[in-house]
Structure formats: structure tokens, C-alpha cells
Amino acid sequence: MDRAAAPTAAMSCLADLPTEWQPVHQAILTDGSLAVLATDVDLAGEHQRSNVAWRAQVKLDPPSRLSELAAAGRARIWTTTPTSTWREGPIFALGSVYPKLDRFADGRWLVVDSLSREPNARVLSPEGIVLDRFRLGIGVEHLAIYKDRIWVGWNDESVFSNGDLHVPGQEVAHSAHAVLCFSDNGKPLFFPAWPEHGGFVVDPYALNVDDTGAWCCPYMAALDYFPLIRLVPGEPARWWRNDLKGSVAIATDGDHVVLAGGYEPDRLALLSLPGTGSGEQAPVLATWSMPLPLRSPGSTWASERPTLLVGRGDTIHLVQDQIWYRWRVRDLVSS
């Protein structure tokens, strides 16, 4: 679909990390800074080798070394802001094949091995000392912390893959709820009540959190669409119909929402939220194209996987080709 280029974003050019450190995961923290988990082993290269063999449907030869590299490697966290250079963070044992991270308000770090069935969450001190371990289940796709609350969203393959992970009084596994809020020691705090006629949630797709709750844009099996849903502990879910499919990032400000990515990977869309959240249609006010590279020469399709595309608070963040783009909801409204 032909769309105008996205309005000028706030942009920052990111310097390379020292050559001995390879970035493997990036996240936007609550304060809007960018965090990178890097390692001193070639984890990304081994992932790429495995993916090439999988796509070609051939046997991986030599066998995968992912577990070996994770066990031998060290990790380091680096942070930056739009106006600063990289700041060195703690060094610790990598111990994860698919790591994700976020930071608590008091400076502790949460590092999760997203595809492990073991106790896969480590709480680290600001200096990198392991303070606690607990299990968040296999298939952690979304990880977002606000103060001392951990919000988790599981991918579509893992929603029903944690059958032994549940608490008394809950008939289904944690991940069957698709999105869950935990305390900082891994205790479940909030089980969402999705709109009843939507059926079960297959994948939350996008997740953004704030001081009172979370926003997501899930695929709901009975509806075959991706509603905008507001989850606040102790309150019924509020929701709006949304015809944009598969959005992977969401940012909100008052009665406006911006959705990014999805089945049209470069799409940036501004929507309004009418009514009270009782199933009203959220109209699209404008759409634009984000600056993503093309898949191949002559292709008109943008890359499906930018380095990072996520919403935090009122801002959509895109990191691509060492450039950090930021679009605030209010700026898109005024444009």
C-alpha cells in the first residue's frame, strides 16, 4: 500500500559497542532509555546458522552450539539516552540462549531466558549479582516492567505450553492467559479477564505498560481480529475494535493510540479511542510508512524484523541500522 513517509521523528545515531561485545537483545526502559544486552560469544552467528539450516530444511552440521555458547559466554548490559553515549553496566554469566531484559525502578535488572522451561528469570543487582531466580514459563515474547511489576506476554506457540505452571484456584496455566502481571519475586498478581465473546487469546502481539495497567493488541480466536485492549487490575477490560492486523507496537496518550508494524511491517497508524471501551470501533486517522529497509532489490515490502520496534508510554521506538527513531503520540496528532 502506498503511504506517505512517517512525519519527522526524533532521531539519534547509535555508536557501535566495543568490538568484543555482540548485541543480542535491545529494550526500551521505563525512563525512555535504550538498554542492550551484549555477549562476548558469537550467539547471533550461531542463531543465524541454525535459521539458515531450518529454512533450507537440512540437518545442521556441525550440531548447534547455542547451549554451549550460552554456558560459556559472559553478558554485559549497556544503556544510552538520546543525548548520551553508551554507559557500561554489569557483567554476568550469559546463561541464556534467547535472553530478554528490563530494569526495575530501584536499578535491579531482570534477565529472562525466553525459551527455557527451567527457572528462567534472574533478578540481578545493579552490579550484576544474582539476587533471585524464578520461573516465568517458556515462550516469553514480551517483557515489560513498571516500577516493581513485571508484565509478561507469551507467544502463540507457548500460550498452552506451560501446563505445570499455575497457582491454586486457576485451572489453566499462567500462559493460557496470554498476558500476566507478576511481582518482582515471580508471584502472579493479575489474571486478565478478556472480552467474553472474543474467545481465547492466541498472542498479545503488542504490549505497553504504565503505572495502572497494560495495553495490548491481541489476536482473539473467536473474532479473527486484533482489538485494542486496556487491562487494569481490579477492573473489567476495556476494548475497541481495530481493523489493523498484527500490530507489534502500541503507544497511547489520552484518547489517541499509535500502532506500528504487523502484517504491513512498515506501517505507522494513528487511531482515536471513542466512547468508554465497550467494543467501539477505533477509527484510523492517518497512516504512514516507517523507514525500514527493503527485503531485496526491487522489492516494495519492508523488512519484517527491525532491530527493535516497541511502544513505551506515549512513544513508538524503532531502532534500525544504528539509528534510533522516536514518534510521540501527541506529535503525530498535531502533524
Side-chain angles (χ1 to χ4, degrees):
M1 180 183 297
D2 292 332
R3 291 186 296 266
T8 302
M11 296 169 52
S12 304
C13 293
L14 299 172
D16 292 330
L17 296 178
T19 55
E20 65 268 29
W21 293 102
Q22 177 193 91
V24 293
H25 175 67
Q26 300 190 5
I28 300 297
L29 307 178
T30 302
D31 64 1
S33 59
L34 172 65
V36 174
L37 189 153
T39 181
D40 60 358
V41 295
D42 188 19
L43 195 68
E46 189 66 4
H47 276 300
Q48 183 178 13
R49 191 173 72 89
S50 299
N51 289 336
V52 168
W54 177 77
R55 290 173 182 172
Q57 297 183 333
V58 298
K59 182 179 179 180
L60 186 63
D61 187 23
S64 173
R65 297 180 59 242
L66 285 171
S67 296
E68 176 185 338
L69 292 173
R74 296 183 305 160
R76 182 162 213 166
I77 297 173
W78 303 76
T79 58
T80 187
T81 69
T83 58
S84 68
T85 57
W86 290 112
R87 179 180 179 183
E88 295 179 349
I91 295 177
F92 51 94
L94 175 58
S96 175
V97 173
Y98 297 94
K100 293 183 181 294
L101 86 159
D102 206 337
R103 186 172 64 188
F104 294 102
D106 61 7
R108 291 174 300 154
W109 292 96
L110 179 68
V111 178
V112 176
D113 189 344
S114 58
L115 288 184
S116 173
R117 291 186 179 277
E118 303 301 322
N120 59 335
R122 286 177 288 170
V123 178
L124 307 178
S125 72
E127 298 74 30
I129 299 170
V130 178
L131 303 175
D132 197 6
R133 290 180 182 267
F134 47 85
R135 186 177 171 202
L136 292 178
I138 191 172
V140 174
E141 182 72 18
H142 306 277
L143 180 68
I145 293 175
Y146 196 92
K147 294 183 179 178
D148 59 352
R149 288 188 172 187
I150 305 166
W151 288 86
V152 171
W154 290 270
N155 63 32
D156 57 352
E157 296 179 354
S158 302
V159 165
F160 301 107
S161 297
N162 295 288
D164 60 334
L165 187 61
H166 60 85
V167 296
Q170 290 288 324
E171 297 181 0
V172 298
H174 293 350
S175 57
H177 297 275
V179 173
L180 207 62
C181 181
F182 294 86
S183 68
D184 62 353
N185 62 3
K187 178 182 177 181
L189 298 176
F190 169 62
F191 297 87
W194 302 102
E196 293 183 1
H197 64 288
F200 60 86
V201 175
V202 178
D203 190 312
Y205 272 80
L207 182 67
N208 193 351
V209 302
D210 56 30
D211 59 339
T212 58
W215 287 89
C216 60
C217 197
Y219 176 77
M220 302 197 73
L223 298 175
D224 194 27
Y225 72 93
F226 299 82
L228 289 159
I229 296 185
R230 174 62 167 163
L231 300 172
V232 176
E235 299 180 9
R238 299 164 59 205
W239 66 286
W240 292 262
R241 297 180 181 274
N242 164 41
D243 294 331
L244 303 180
K245 296 185 179 297
S247 300
V248 297
I250 179 172
T252 67
D253 188 353
D255 57 0
H256 289 91
V257 167
V258 173
L259 298 178
Y263 291 4
E264 297 178 63
D266 65 335
R267 180 186 61 215
L268 187 70
L270 173 67
L271 300 84
S272 65
L273 298 177
T276 60
S278 301
E280 298 91 343
Q281 182 72 28
V284 176
L285 304 180
T287 60
W288 304 275
S289 289
M290 295 181 293
L292 296 183
L294 302 181
R295 293 182 182 176
S296 59
S299 171
T300 58
W301 292 93
S303 168
E304 288 186 346
R305 291 187 177 274
T307 303
L308 177 69
L309 178 58
V310 69
R312 270 298 191 134
D314 66 351
T315 304
I316 294 289
H317 298 262
L318 169 68
V319 176
Q320 183 67 41
D321 297 330
Q322 294 296 97
I323 300 177
W324 178 10
Y325 303 88
R326 301 174 300 281
W327 291 276
R328 297 179 67 188
V329 176
R330 68 184 66 177
D331 294 335
L332 293 175
V333 171
S334 64
S335 68

